[in-house]
Amino acid sequence: MLMELWVVPALPLAGFCVLALVGKRLSRWLVAGIGAGSVGLAMVGAIYFSHDFMAFEPTGHLYRESLWTWLNVGGFSPDIGLYLDPLSVVMMLVVTIVGFLIHVYSIQYMAGDEAYSRFFAYMNLFVSSMLILVLADDLLILYLGWEGVGLCSYLLIGFWYQSAANARAAIKAFVVTRVGDTAMAIGLFLLFTQLGTLDIQEVLVRAVRQWPVGSATAIAAAGLLLAGAVGKSAQLPLQVWLPDAMAGPTPVSALIHAATMVTAGVYLIARMHDLFIIAPPVQTAVAVIGAATLVLAGCSAMTQFDIKRVLAYSTISQVGYMFLALGVHAWSAALFHFMTHAFFKSLLFMGAGAVIISMHHEQNMFKMGGLRKQLPFTFWTFLIGACSLASLPLVTSGFYSKGLILWSVWATGHPVLWGAALLGEFITSVYTFRMVFLTFFGEPKGEVSARPGPIILGPLVILAFFSTVAGCVHIPRPLGHFRLFARLVEQALPVPPMQPLPIATEVVFQLLMQGSVLLGVAFAYVLFLRRNDLVAAWTARPAGNALHRFWFSGWGFDWVYTTLLAKPYVWFAHASRDDAFEWIYRGIGAINRGLHEQLSRTQTGLVRWYAVGIVIGAVLLLGLVVFL
Amino acid sequence: MMLPVLILVPLIFGVGAYVAARVSVAAARWIALLSLAGNLGLSIYIWIAYFGPISLAGVTGPWVLEWDAPWIAPLGVHFHVGMDGLSLLLVVLTNLLGVLSVAASWTEIEERPGFFHLNLLWVVAGIVGVFLSLDLFLFYVFWELMLVPMYFLIAIWGHENRVYAAVKFFIFTQFSGLFMLLAIVGLYVLYGSQTGGTFEYANYIGAPIPRGIAMVLMLGFFVAFAVKLPVVPLHSWLPDAHTEAPTAGSVILAGLLLKTGAYGLIRFVVPLFPWAVADFRPAAMTLALIGILYGALAAYGQTDLKRLIAYTSISHMGLVLLGIFAWNSLALQGAVMLVLCHGLATGGLFIFAGALQERTKTRDIRVMGGLWSTVPRMSGATMVLALASLDLPGLGNFIGGFLVLLGTFRAYPVYAAGASLGLIVSTIYSLRIIQAVFHGEKTVDWKIADLHPREVAIMAVIIGALIWLGLYPQPALDTVQPSLNVMQQTPARGPAQTPVDATPGAP
């Protein structure tokens, strides 16, 4: 039976409380047990509830659970309540399953760290916040999870706080996402002021009833929520925090990129889809932002040296695909790609982590190479993840999810966006296989100092399995037309407005996409394995060099923000250190002191001066009396 | 009779502590601690016994508890005190922070401890009196009463530049208090005869004051409260006073003294002069915006830890000012909530700064950094307080800030949107505290002790209260709501007056 759903987010939260309060006094095994165990239990609970949900099919395909009224003032009474529908079922399952595997992996990966309990405490809080976010019944409680996720990213990116650079990256992540959050908060004010509630379902119902399609208020509300989504999901123009977020330990990156945080924006838009549908310009903006982001971030990914930064830019790019799908109303496609991406991206991050600890914490791919032989296990699992990221045909889950996105974009009548997405496919396979070739092929350049242990490899194998088979839940028409995933999700989200195109067209477009992917692999093979000299020759030229640096630095966004915002802010802050208003009061004080000095000079102590004063005064007074 | 007791206990035991210190310093500390704890217990008892839904149902009129005695008969001055939900919560906060201040100064104050506790308890008495007075004359007396002991607290037990800070504090508050006195006298002279020749605050509500005169009198009150709150540009005393005061002084200043300004605006300025307030609103809201952003900006630039925290208060109080002048149920509840939570969170931050200074003998954040592993308990507690001040949901400050902005947005969306920038700038300065003190590389290899059990207990109380107010604020909101309703309705009672703001959501 569907009851006591609150247990799912409460378990990791309880884990956090225990670890934060007494974690230091517990043995390492106990810490690991509580940390991973609480998420594991949450996963069991999530699977149990999902099973019940699908088995019993509650009326309206949703289940609500109200815990208590958060507050009740002047008609504003948000509930602390949970909401389960197919959308949140998918999110909850992915968050807990991937989150649990990352926790297990961390048991060994973080084993040498002295702040072991602090790490697991933050990770548990992270998972708990994300679960609150995806299960929230009310926008205010969603905002609680939303901010909790932002806080945890700050805590974990700056986990190794001794280095100032890490702490800076953490602050950057928090502040940049807070910019989006603030826009979102204003959006909530607007929604409440206009609609009188923040209950998600009620907001959607009333918005559709009150606002005509394309009304200014709807556009403003959807736009403000989009700004929040863009911040959390690291899309243009707020994507700058994510590449720097690599400062955190690798499991953290896996958690941020795969299961939590960056997908929050995708979830928000999917959850509020009715609002976005009645704001067509915002919907278009979502698609355009997605398409632009996926190309820009892909170009940056091709130029990175640091294996984790390649993956970071690839996340931005892949979330761009999800935004693109959302923008063309292909809701289930976006969610499908979210799921497969969670599997293969966490696999890639954890594989990269295994490589990094095997190489004395070396992250530069140009100092790796030839690891295929030395780390075969890691290599094969990483390769499976990479193939899925590049969406190689038939045997990878990425093939099915991205294929669905591209097809939906075309079939909903967006040829330009489709072109960008196709270009993105090519770029994706170039940077993915560049990464694979540089790391695992060629001549060995570094020493392998340690081999990853079984607790690290176990999650990799499981995720490799998922990365391969997860695509089977939705198979396109030319290959068999199996729509399990879409059928489930379409209980909660509308069906995309696709044109009825013939199967032959779909086959052609599948082939086009595969052509672009395979071309990318071949390109990477030639440039980064056979003819390294070609790349060197290109980047040696001034134009090539400039382009390389431009892409490498993420298209100059950081520079613009630093110059236009951060530096002036710091300058003004330092200028305000001594408080400009202070001068007003100093001035008043100085005038007083000046008067005091002038007047005290008249107190000479000489009787004749006083006598003169009295006489002058008397004359003046008499004169006044006489002449006035 | 309970209300005068709330004022008399600290007054009498303050003298008791002073006398006891001649015999034993520990006795003085215990007397101060236990008397304030008793007072806290009494105020919580009042809350439970008189402010429950059942007891409230039997109350007629705005005051749940009231005590009245003639004082200066020829002028019609009464010792008239009364308590409603708003004053109750502020009295609870006052006594709670009083207890915490005594606890926080347990080892800090070595010099003249008897006189220190006398002053500390007298400040508390003055503040409780301010929150309870219903007679304008009496209100002014308590207003001054809290000033003098505070001056001594800063001037005697303060840090390097204490005399300058104390004199500045004294001049600012005294000078602005004078404006209020003039306004009170003006009210009495002009309209006293029509209202029975008393200083009774309730009698002046709805008095037929012409617009121009109302504006002048309103500004008299406003200046006094604006200095206390403080409102930029009248904030100049605050950074100095907060920085130079001993820990207990800073806690009382930030946690309570500033709140008397907010209380005065809610209790006196708007109900007495609704029209003038409506005219003045754009100016006040603009000042609020300036305060929010300027305070945050200046906070980020500081290198002195206590000064940094002091400037954050200016920013937060800007939000309170905004909420008060928006004057609808949501914004007012938010302002009250913010007052309570800011008192706890910023009081806690000053206790942290004091604890750190006691250990390192410096407040300069440039020589700190990387302290997390050295003092994990202090770091964790401070992190929570910093998160409270950046309005993280789940902690009480978020409820306050969100309600203020939500309420303001209804009527004044542009001001609310501008004030929302406060969410960003507060993140920047709050993280700077964490970053500068606990993160980064160690500049100096401090060998300092983590929080002692006494300090852990202080922090636990504060953090517990913040989480409670963050997740289940309803008991506090319900306590305040009736008194806010009364004050929002009062302007309608007078002739030639209309309500300042028709609130759609008001019950």
Side-chain angles (χ1 to χ4, degrees):
Chain A
M1 282 308 112
L2 283 165
M3 274 168 75
E4 316 296 338
L5 179 60
W6 58 270
V7 174
V8 175
L11 279 165
L13 187 64
F16 160 74
C17 291
V18 172
L19 293 175
L21 291 176
V22 295
K24 278 207 159 232
R25 282 177 229 144
L26 303 177
S27 75
R28 293 176 89 79
W29 282 109
L30 201 55
V31 168
I34 295 172
S38 64
V39 180
L41 284 175
M43 176 183 77
V44 172
I47 292 172
Y48 170 78
F49 285 114
S50 311
H51 170 262
D52 267 13
F53 185 85
M54 289 188 238
F56 293 100
E57 297 224 336
T59 37
H61 301 294
L62 59 89
Y63 165 73
R64 305 180 86 150
E65 183 173 296
S66 185
L67 300 176
W68 72 86
T69 302
W70 195 347
L71 65 160
N72 182 359
V73 186
F76 178 57
S77 54
D79 257 355
I80 299 224
L82 305 178
Y83 181 92
L84 198 65
D85 68 351
L87 172 58
S88 32
V89 165
V90 172
M91 296 296 294
M92 176 174 77
L93 282 175
V94 171
V95 170
T96 51
I97 293 173
V98 176
F100 174 64
L101 292 174
I102 295 171
H103 274 73
V104 171
Y105 173 93
S106 312
I107 294 176
Q108 200 157 58
Y109 190 88
M110 298 300 289
D113 204 285
E114 54 182 278
Y116 201 53
S117 65
R118 188 161 61 90
F119 178 79
F120 276 104
Y122 292 166
M123 293 285 274
N124 278 1
L125 187 63
F126 210 152
V127 172
S128 177
S129 305
M130 192 64 195
L131 285 170
I132 292 174
L133 197 165
V134 300
L135 291 172
D137 189 16
D138 191 282
L139 279 170
L140 197 65
I141 177 103
L142 187 149
Y143 190 72
L144 174 111
W146 190 266
E147 293 286 89
V149 167
L151 164 68
C152 293
S153 70
Y154 164 74
L155 294 173
L156 283 166
I157 293 167
F159 180 73
W160 288 316
Y161 58 81
Q162 291 88 343
S163 139
N166 293 355
R168 254 201 310 279
I171 292 177
K172 183 171 169 187
F174 204 2
V175 172
V176 171
T177 54
R178 207 97 210 284
V179 172
D181 296 356
T182 302
M184 177 174 163
I186 299 175
L188 298 193
F189 303 150
L190 181 65
L191 285 173
F192 178 73
T193 307
Q194 295 290 322
L195 303 174
T197 181
L198 285 183
D199 180 293
I200 294 174
Q201 299 310 313
E202 200 55 38
V203 162
L204 296 179
V205 169
R206 291 187 197 180
V208 173
R209 202 188 317 142
Q210 284 189 18
W211 296 331
V213 173
S215 79
T217 328
I219 290 171
L224 287 163
L225 293 189
L226 172 61
V230 158
K232 274 283 184 296
S233 288
Q235 299 293 291
L236 287 175
L238 294 178
Q239 81 289 14
V240 289
W241 63 271
L242 195 66
D244 289 1
M246 293 302 101
T250 308
V252 174
S253 311
L255 198 59
I256 291 180
H257 290 255
T260 63
M261 190 88 178
V262 294
T263 54
V266 177
Y267 172 76
L268 180 75
I269 296 176
R271 175 52 82 209
M272 305 300 292
H273 60 272
D274 285 340
L275 182 63
F276 283 85
I277 289 172
I278 56 170
V282 180
Q283 188 80 2
T284 310
V286 174
V288 171
I289 287 174
T293 308
L294 77 89
V295 173
L296 259 60
C299 293
S300 289
M302 287 194 292
T303 58
Q304 303 301 316
F305 303 131
D306 183 331
I307 185 166
K308 284 177 76 180
R309 279 183 91 89
V310 176
L311 290 172
Y313 277 110
S314 112
T315 299
I316 300 176
S317 171
Q318 297 303 307
V319 177
Y321 273 104
M322 298 177 210
F323 266 63
L324 174 60
L326 293 171
V328 300
H329 299 83
W331 312 101
S332 60
L335 210 60
F336 188 26
H337 192 51
F338 151 72
M339 183 180 79
T340 59
H341 175 257
F343 294 134
F344 66 70
K345 188 50 70 64
S346 53
L347 169 61
L348 286 172
F349 261 114
M350 294 204 277
V355 169
I356 290 165
I357 49 167
S358 307
M359 302 284 297
H360 299 283
H361 292 274
E362 179 57 64
Q363 303 195 5
N364 188 339
M365 294 186 296
F366 286 87
K367 296 187 180 160
M368 299 173 179
L371 292 175
R372 181 171 39 126
K373 303 254 171 56
Q374 283 140 306
L375 303 169
F377 229 117
T378 315
F379 164 65
W380 284 107
T381 50
F382 194 89
L383 187 66
I384 291 171
C387 291
S388 201
L389 171 60
S391 51
L392 252 53
L394 301 181
V395 294
T396 68
S397 60
F399 166 73
Y400 297 96
S401 61
K402 255 195 278 182
L404 182 62
I405 292 180
L406 260 76
W407 176 240
S408 308
V409 173
W410 179 264
T412 50
H414 299 90
V416 177
L417 295 176
W418 177 83
L422 191 70
L423 175 64
E425 284 289 88
F426 170 75
I427 296 172
T428 306
S429 60
V430 171
Y431 70 68
T432 306
F433 280 91
R434 170 178 178 263
M435 176 170 69
V436 171
F437 292 142
L438 287 175
T439 312
F440 291 100
F441 289 80
E443 291 299 307
K445 296 190 190 92
E447 276 292 296
V448 172
S449 59
R451 271 167 225 290
I455 303 181
I456 287 185
L457 295 177
L460 294 184
V461 174
I462 298 172
L463 285 167
F465 172 74
F466 278 127
S467 301
T468 314
V469 303
C472 297
V473 295
H474 187 109
I475 294 171
R477 281 192 297 172
L479 296 170
H481 200 50
F482 179 60
R483 298 183 74 246
L484 177 71
F485 187 83
R487 266 212 313 279
L488 174 70
V489 173
E490 280 163 9
Q491 292 170 357
L493 295 165
V495 183
M498 308 241 274
Q499 298 156 2
L501 296 168
I503 285 196
T505 323
E506 197 167 342
V507 172
V508 170
F509 277 89
Q510 289 284 3
L511 290 176
L512 270 177
M513 171 183 149
Q514 286 319 313
S516 121
V517 169
L518 294 175
L519 187 65
V521 179
F523 200 65
Y525 176 75
V526 170
L527 285 185
F528 301 106
L529 213 51
R530 290 286 140 203
R531 300 285 312 270
N532 286 335
D533 53 313
L534 282 179
V535 181
W538 286 348
T539 49
R541 285 187 212 146
N545 189 21
L547 187 67
H548 182 266
R549 270 190 315 188
F550 186 55
W551 285 358
F552 182 76
S553 64
W555 299 69
F557 277 92
D558 270 320
W559 181 84
V560 171
Y561 292 150
T562 311
T563 317
L564 291 186
L565 294 171
K567 279 187 180 162
Y569 190 86
V570 171
W571 186 86
F572 273 112
H574 283 292
S576 313
R577 179 177 300 164
D578 295 325
D579 207 332
F581 293 100
E582 192 70 21
W583 293 106
I584 303 173
Y585 301 106
R586 294 235 177 103
I588 294 174
I591 291 169
N592 271 325
R593 205 168 300 121
L595 281 175
H596 155 82
E597 271 161 22
Q598 292 305 316
L599 289 175
S600 64
R601 212 171 280 172
T602 60
Q603 303 293 310
T604 50
L606 297 173
V607 179
R608 59 174 183 271
W609 279 107
Y610 295 162
V612 170
I614 292 168
V615 168
I616 291 172
V619 169
L620 279 176
L621 264 179
L622 276 175
L624 277 176
V625 169
V626 170
F627 290 105
L628 292 181
Chain B
M1 195 53 210
M2 267 178 288
L3 300 185
V5 170
L6 282 173
I7 301 169
L8 283 174
V9 164
L11 280 181
I12 294 170
F13 283 93
V15 178
Y18 179 68
V19 176
R22 293 166 187 233
V23 187
S24 148
V25 176
R29 296 191 201 280
W30 279 107
I31 287 175
L33 187 73
L34 292 178
S35 62
L36 286 177
N39 231 17
L40 176 65
L42 178 61
S43 41
I44 290 174
Y45 166 75
I46 293 175
W47 192 358
I48 295 167
Y50 292 88
F51 284 84
I54 305 160
S55 352
L56 272 185
V59 175
T60 51
W63 310 109
V64 178
L65 289 177
E66 211 175 342
W67 194 79
D68 193 358
W71 183 18
I72 308 172
L75 292 171
V77 176
H78 279 240
F79 192 96
H80 186 192
V81 286
M83 183 184 261
D84 61 359
L86 175 63
S87 33
L88 168 80
L89 285 188
L90 289 168
V91 168
V92 171
L93 178 74
T94 308
N95 286 307
L96 177 62
L97 286 182
V99 171
L100 298 182
S101 309
V102 175
S105 346
W106 209 259
T107 54
E108 186 193 1
I109 302 299
E110 303 276 331
E111 191 193 344
R112 299 168 74 184
F115 192 48
F116 174 81
H117 287 95
L118 173 74
N119 281 299
L120 191 57
L121 266 69
W122 279 41
V123 174
V124 171
I127 295 169
V128 172
V130 161
F131 289 143
L132 294 179
S133 301
L134 298 184
D135 185 286
L136 288 172
F137 192 88
L138 185 68
F139 178 77
Y140 184 76
V141 170
F142 281 121
W143 189 260
E144 295 295 306
L145 179 64
M146 59 181 190
L147 170 58
V148 179
M150 195 67 233
Y151 168 80
F152 282 126
L153 283 180
I154 301 173
I156 300 178
W157 294 276
H159 305 305
E160 311 84 52
N161 211 1
R162 56 181 176 267
V163 176
Y164 170 77
V167 170
K168 195 167 174 185
F169 165 74
F170 196 87
I171 291 175
F172 266 82
T173 36
Q174 182 70 336
F175 209 70
S176 60
L178 210 59
F179 285 101
M180 179 167 73
L181 182 64
L182 287 175
I184 291 175
V185 170
L187 263 183
Y188 180 75
V189 169
L190 293 172
Y191 303 100
S193 52
Q194 299 168 22
T195 57
T198 64
F199 281 92
E200 182 62 37
Y201 139 81
N203 290 353
Y204 291 94
I205 289 177
I209 312 172
R211 219 163 157 163
I213 297 178
M215 179 60 95
V216 172
L217 294 177
M218 190 280 287
L219 284 176
F221 280 92
F222 181 81
V223 165
F225 299 139
V227 165
K228 273 274 166 37
L229 193 57
V231 176
V232 174
L234 300 173
H235 65 281
S236 176
W237 63 275
L238 182 141
D240 288 313
H242 281 64
T243 309
E244 299 299 332
T247 305
S250 307
V251 173
I252 302 261
L253 275 171
L256 300 172
L257 235 64
L258 309 190
K259 278 51 186 196
T260 61
Y263 174 80
L265 290 172
I266 298 176
R267 177 74 81 202
F268 297 102
V269 171
V270 187
L272 286 175
F273 312 104
W275 267 116
V277 164
D279 290 344
F280 190 58
R281 177 171 294 132
M285 285 194 157
T286 308
L287 288 175
L289 271 191
I290 294 173
I292 291 170
L293 298 178
Y294 182 77
L297 192 69
Y300 185 75
Q302 302 305 315
T303 53
D304 181 318
L305 183 57
K306 285 182 84 172
R307 225 177 158 79
L308 196 168
I309 302 169
Y311 273 102
T312 70
S313 290
I314 297 174
S315 182
H316 284 126
M317 290 303 110
L319 204 53
V320 170
L321 183 69
L322 192 74
I324 293 172
F325 271 79
W327 200 254
N328 58 36
S329 292
L330 288 171
L332 265 181
Q333 278 282 18
V336 173
M337 205 66 196
L338 208 52
V339 159
L340 298 175
C341 296
H342 174 265
L344 291 165
T346 308
L349 281 175
F350 274 117
I351 291 175
F352 142 70
L356 193 61
Q357 182 176 11
E358 207 181 328
R359 289 163 169 77
T360 60
K361 312 292 173 213
T362 177
R363 299 187 304 269
D364 190 340
I365 52 177
R366 285 169 299 188
V367 299
M368 294 173 190
L371 286 180
W372 193 290
S373 55
T374 318
V375 285
R377 284 194 291 268
M378 184 191 275
S379 316
T382 309
M383 173 74 90
V384 177
L385 298 172
L387 294 176
S389 61
L390 63 77
D391 280 352
L392 191 82
L395 298 166
N397 302 52
F398 168 72
I399 303 286
F402 194 85
L403 286 178
V404 166
L405 293 173
L406 191 61
T408 309
F409 192 88
R410 284 192 154 178
Y412 315 98
V414 176
Y415 283 109
S420 299
L421 294 178
L423 291 174
I424 300 172
V425 287
S426 67
T427 312
I428 296 174
Y429 65 64
S430 299
L431 296 185
R432 176 167 158 85
I433 299 178
I434 302 296
Q435 162 71 17
V437 179
F438 299 116
H439 287 173
E441 283 148 41
K442 283 190 178 173
T443 330
V444 178
D445 194 15
W446 297 103
K447 297 269 185 286
I448 53 176
D450 203 351
L451 295 184
H452 305 305
R454 168 178 57 87
E455 293 161 321
V456 171
I458 296 174
M459 290 300 181
V461 169
I462 293 176
I463 291 171
L466 286 173
I467 292 176
W468 170 54
L469 290 171
L471 291 180
Y472 191 60
Q474 204 55 37
L477 298 171
D478 283 343
T479 307
V480 175
Q481 193 61 54
S483 46
L484 295 181
N485 288 346
V486 169
M487 275 177 285
Q488 284 186 281
Q489 284 156 13
T490 38
R493 273 197 255 138
Q497 304 272 10
T498 53
V500 172
D501 187 3
T503 316

